[in-house]
Amino acid sequence: MTRTIRLGDDGWSIQILDQSALPREERLLRLASLDDAAAAIRDMKLRGAPLIGVAGAYGLALALRADPSDAGLERARSVLLATRPTAVNLRWAIDDVTAHVAHLPPKERSPAAYARAGAMADDDVAICRRIGEHGLPILRDLAVTARRSPLQVMTHCNAGWLAAIEHGTALAPVYAAHAAGLALHVWVAETRPRNQGHLTAWELGRAGVPHTLVTDSAAGHLFSRGQVDVVIVGTDRTTRGGDVVNKVGTYLKALAARAHGIPFYVAAPGPSIDWTLLRGADVTIEERDPAEVGAPPGTPVSNPAFDVTPADLVTGLITERGVARASVDGLAALYPEKA
Ligand code: MRU
């Protein structure tokens, strides 16, 4: 399967790669109802902001197939929106599909929702490809200024094709650079407690990109030894002020990068930008099941899934429209119609 999500052969069910089985096993999962889609998102059978958005859109299409009424639409929206609160792509995708179908007669709603979800998936592929194109010159220039080959890139979590539809966001420039013959090596942070770094290592391995998995706490050590030239991460939500909400642990890497004078880039597709919020502090941070942490029984555990990196620690936002400064003005210059 080259895409992380697609229409099944029956023409209506949805097929996904079950990421909870990776990297041990490549297993496909069939989603045939609203509840299937909601459970897949909630239980992280699929994950990553862009993919969550497209899965939400298909979830709405599945729901409208069973109940295309106004009440059915409203119920499906609230079930899907309740699955994961932080990645803004989910709300964006559900609002977008709703805007495309709500004015239609009920029997036309589901086909229109499928069409919109399919177009969204195609758009995501194009967006990620563009992010790769805009990120490539950054890596090329850094390889010259760092005077190092291979260029040492650090990433956190998984913002590769598994987190999107194809290409990925943060890994898109890495894949573009690798394809262009630029020598690079990626430090992959394990990303406790869900170990999305294992997914990144699996992806990079399949693509033949040299990489090394490290524990999250090893990052500071690598910076202090001068073993990192650039950090690139993805984002679940970037505010219009440029604050970046991403997988917990991102902020510490941004702080370490700043302390060592290393550039810290965020690959931020348009649908991950929340134009309604200025400050990252106002974003709801998903608190996940304490059991994920694996603490001894009875230990009080807090398990926030994301953190906020303030805009001033971000060197640049690599978007499908080019590289923006992480600020109100920087983003407004690239997205004047939103600002
Ligand atoms: O909890 P997850 O695995 O869905 O979190 C994913 C991330 O934090 C990614 O870095 C982010 O979604 C960007 S993915 C292109």
Side-chain angles (χ1 to χ4, degrees):
M1 186 157 163
T2 54
R3 287 193 172 193
T4 50
I5 190 166
R6 69 166 189 218
L7 214 50
D9 291 339
D10 54 18
W12 65 270
S13 67
I14 305 303
Q15 213 170 53
I16 64 163
L17 198 51
D18 181 352
Q19 298 194 26
S20 66
L22 288 175
R24 299 179 311 281
E25 188 193 339
E26 282 180 54
R27 185 164 70 199
L28 298 180
L29 194 65
R30 181 171 181 265
L31 311 179
S33 65
L34 166 66
D35 289 346
D36 285 354
I41 298 171
R42 190 186 319 109
D43 301 340
M44 295 178 69
K45 303 284 184 195
L46 56 85
R47 39 146 305 280
L51 178 55
I52 289 172
V54 173
Y58 274 123
L60 218 45
L62 286 167
L64 291 169
R65 194 170 176 271
D67 179 0
S69 67
D70 286 354
L73 176 58
E74 211 31 66
R75 179 174 165 274
R77 282 177 54 85
S78 56
V79 167
L80 290 164
L81 285 170
T83 53
R84 296 197 71 190
T86 303
V88 75
N89 305 56
L90 181 61
R91 191 188 70 203
W92 168 82
I94 287 172
D95 285 350
D96 181 289
V97 174
T98 303
H100 275 81
V101 305
H103 64 283
L104 297 173
K107 71 174 186 344
E108 293 175 23
R109 286 179 175 172
S110 179
Y114 274 104
R116 188 61 206 131
M120 225 174 243
D122 291 343
D123 286 350
D124 186 72
V125 175
I127 286 172
C128 289
R129 188 181 302 118
R130 296 289 292 154
I131 286 175
E133 288 164 4
H134 290 300
L136 172 58
I138 293 176
L139 297 183
R140 272 209 179 108
D141 289 352
L142 281 169
V144 173
T145 50
R147 287 210 218 103
R148 178 153 40 197
S149 184
L151 185 73
Q152 300 293 323
V153 180
M154 177 177 281
T155 193
H156 186 68
C157 194
N158 171 264
W161 69 272
L162 286 171
I165 310 300
E166 279 182 34
H167 307 297
T169 58
L171 292 190
V174 168
Y175 288 136
H178 182 66
L182 186 78
L184 39 73
H185 165 266
V186 184
W187 294 109
V188 178
E190 188 177 32
T191 316
R192 283 268 298 140
R194 300 281 309 204
N195 294 332
Q196 286 93 332
H198 295 189
L199 301 176
T200 298
W202 179 78
E203 268 195 39
L204 292 173
R206 270 174 46 129
V209 179
H211 61 280
T212 305
L213 186 80
V214 288
T215 59
D216 295 320
S217 331
H221 168 69
L222 295 173
F223 280 108
S224 74
R225 291 287 169 98
Q227 288 177 276
V228 183
D229 297 318
V230 59
V231 182
I232 311 182
V233 297
T235 180
D236 289 84
R237 188 187 302 221
T238 288
T239 68
R240 67 185 174 84
D243 288 349
V244 171
V245 184
N246 192 48
K247 181 53 56 193
V248 70
T250 301
Y251 176 43
L252 277 174
K253 289 192 172 57
L255 285 170
R258 172 59 55 89
H260 290 276
I262 298 299
F264 180 92
Y265 284 96
V266 177
S272 299
I273 300 170
D274 186 344
W275 298 99
T276 69
L277 288 184
L278 180 64
R279 293 161 6 107
D282 294 330
V283 174
T284 302
I285 299 294
E286 177 179 2
E287 184 72 30
R288 291 193 62 86
D289 188 346
E292 289 182 344
V293 175
T299 308
V301 168
S302 168
N303 185 18
F306 301 95
D307 63 23
V308 180
T309 298
D312 67 319
L313 292 180
V314 177
T315 308
L317 300 168
I318 309 172
T319 79
E320 70 277 15
R321 296 192 185 180
V323 182
R325 271 184 299 114
S327 65
V328 170
D329 291 347
L331 280 168
L334 282 191
Y335 297 89
E337 80 283 9
K338 303 277 189 195

